[in-house]
Amino acid sequence: MGLTMTETDFATSSTPADVVRRQYLASAAADLAALRATLAPDVEWTEMAGFPLAGTYRTPNGVTANVMQRLGADWDGWAAHDDTYVVDGENVVVLARYTAVHKATGKHLNARVAHHFVVRGGLIVRFEQFVDTALVRDAATPDS
């Protein structure tokens, strides 16, 4: 007879993959408080050069204000669909897909991405995004 993880176990699990999965679920639900709860106080969150929000943000409030809230302001239905997790100790690499519609252009975005998380003590301490920034730029650029 196999053991199954209950919802409560998942909500409190400090395994790196579970912490990262909670981050994606919180993001999908637009639950910024739950998302901040997955981040270390000294988190370093890096959006890739060439991405509209490129840069490194620190603190849970800094991440949600400068990334998630700004994405929500510019895009309808912004979502990161996580599908494959590769875990090596505290490192979690997630292969995912961004989907959204740019509010100003009406153009759809559908881009594969990779996210690298470092999780220590049950919290995300570092994040780095890898994405085809040309696809994001094209969706955000009006046709001439």
Side-chain angles (χ1 to χ4, degrees):
M1 181 178 346
L3 297 175
T4 60
M5 181 178 279
T6 68
E7 194 170 312
T8 302
D9 293 336
F10 173 74
T12 59
S13 170
S14 63
T15 67
D18 287 345
V19 172
V20 169
R21 180 70 179 133
R22 281 198 305 274
Q23 183 274 149
Y24 281 102
L25 292 171
S27 179
D31 185 343
L32 297 183
L35 194 149
R36 284 190 290 269
T38 66
L39 304 176
D42 59 347
V43 65
E44 288 186 3
W45 187 280
T46 301
E47 298 287 315
M48 189 169 176
F51 190 71
L53 308 177
T56 298
Y57 304 97
R58 291 173 175 79
T59 78
N61 286 331
V63 170
T64 55
N66 291 296
V67 180
M68 290 73 184
Q69 289 176 311
R70 288 178 57 196
L71 288 171
D74 295 338
W75 300 85
D76 280 325
W78 182 273
H81 309 274
D82 53 323
D83 56 46
T84 303
Y85 284 62
V86 180
V87 181
D88 181 18
E90 65 184 12
N91 293 284
V92 180
V93 174
V94 180
L95 303 179
R97 180 173 302 283
Y98 288 154
T99 60
V101 176
H102 195 267
K103 290 180 179 181
T105 68
K107 292 181 181 178
H108 291 261
L109 171 67
N110 187 338
R112 289 293 286 163
V113 301
H115 293 154
H116 174 216
F117 296 86
V118 178
V119 180
R120 287 190 194 120
L123 296 171
I124 297 165
V125 297
R126 196 164 54 246
F127 166 88
E128 187 174 8
Q129 171 202 58
F130 301 89
V131 62
D132 183 343
T133 58
L135 291 176
V136 180
R137 182 191 63 237
D138 290 350
T141 303
D143 290 329
S144 28

